[in-house]
Amino acid sequence: MTVSSATNQITAGQFHAADGVDDWRCLYHLVSAHFPTGSLAQGVALVDEIGRLADESEQQIVNVDLRHAGVTVSLKRRDIALARRISAAAKELGLVADPAAVQLINVTLDALAGAEVLPFWRALLGYHQIGDDYLFDPANRGPGFGLQQMTAARPQRNRMHLDIAVPHDQAEARIAAALAAGGRLVSDAHAPKWWVLADAEGNEACVATWVGRA
């Protein structure tokens, strides 16, 4: 099966049924491939090829993560032609994909009053919002953050919280934005190493800096 890259929307099943995309896996709205490399130089060579191919195809969403161990690249589902060309470029460089190595992490918070707590998390994380219940990192570095509606309150304290490390000269501004968006300060006993904040439902997060650390 062949699906044109000009198709606006295709399903995950349609993507995986297409020819030449065995290296790739659908993860939510994206497709991703990971190519292990023997060196950082090999990774840079592949990233150069991906950049050239992406510029030629004029695609707007091409996320590339370069690490010493390999390169992970993500595209929109409809970009089948570009996915094929990236796989071909990797093969030319002697690189073999590892489909089992790709994943996409989202953090989901159970909430009774999502509309009240979402502005706090948007300000605290510095994220942008999609719809009524989802936040994303505009720089495409951090995980997505979503809310899931609860039917009843939980009396116990949450056993997980988020730690957000920010530049030391940005911490106070980030905290002020979160407080202005409906949050509250739980503790500044360890500031400026970290502050503990909470949203309107008591879900906690720490804003941390390097100041005061070894």
Side-chain angles (χ1 to χ4, degrees):
M1 175 184 178
T2 301
V3 180
S4 169
S5 62
T7 304
N8 287 331
Q9 296 291 337
I10 66 172
T11 67
Q14 287 175 319
F15 179 88
H16 283 300
D19 298 325
V21 294
D22 292 343
D23 292 343
W24 301 77
R25 296 293 184 271
C26 287
L27 303 171
Y28 294 124
H29 59 291
L30 300 175
V31 294
S32 297
H34 177 76
F35 300 94
T37 58
S39 68
L40 190 60
Q42 269 196 313
V44 170
L46 177 58
V47 171
D48 283 344
E49 282 298 300
I50 293 172
R52 180 181 63 81
L53 294 171
D55 286 344
E56 289 178 358
S57 66
E58 298 183 347
Q59 299 298 340
Q60 294 183 345
I61 294 185
V62 181
N63 298 329
V64 180
D65 187 311
L66 169 64
R67 306 293 174 104
H68 191 276
V71 173
T72 302
V73 56
S74 299
L75 314 169
K76 286 185 178 179
R77 277 188 199 164
R78 68 168 182 260
D79 297 336
I80 291 175
L82 180 56
R84 290 175 179 145
R85 296 180 72 186
I86 291 173
S87 289
K91 185 176 181 180
E92 286 290 320
L93 292 170
L95 302 177
V96 178
D98 179 8
V102 298
Q103 66 179 12
L104 183 61
I105 297 175
N106 278 327
V107 176
T108 302
L109 177 71
D110 295 337
L112 281 172
E116 294 180 21
V117 303
L118 197 64
F120 167 83
W121 293 102
R122 184 175 64 235
L124 186 67
L125 295 169
Y127 275 19
H128 291 179
Q129 184 170 341
I130 296 177
D132 297 328
D133 59 3
Y134 188 76
L135 305 175
F136 70 96
D137 182 357
N140 294 313
R141 292 172 303 204
F145 185 91
L147 295 181
Q148 181 168 288
Q149 183 65 44
M150 290 172 55
T151 57
R154 295 195 184 109
Q156 73 274 21
R157 180 178 181 270
N158 281 0
R159 296 181 63 188
M160 294 181 64
H161 69 270
L162 298 187
D163 289 332
I164 302 103
V166 301
H168 69 282
D169 54 357
Q170 298 298 314
E172 291 187 5
R174 184 71 64 90
I175 291 166
L179 297 178
R184 63 182 176 86
L185 179 66
V186 175
S187 174
D188 60 0
H190 299 281
K193 287 185 179 180
W194 75 84
W195 294 257
V196 183
L197 287 78
D199 67 16
E201 292 188 4
N203 302 297
E204 294 182 1
C206 294
V207 175
T209 74
W210 64 267
V211 178
R213 298 173 186 269

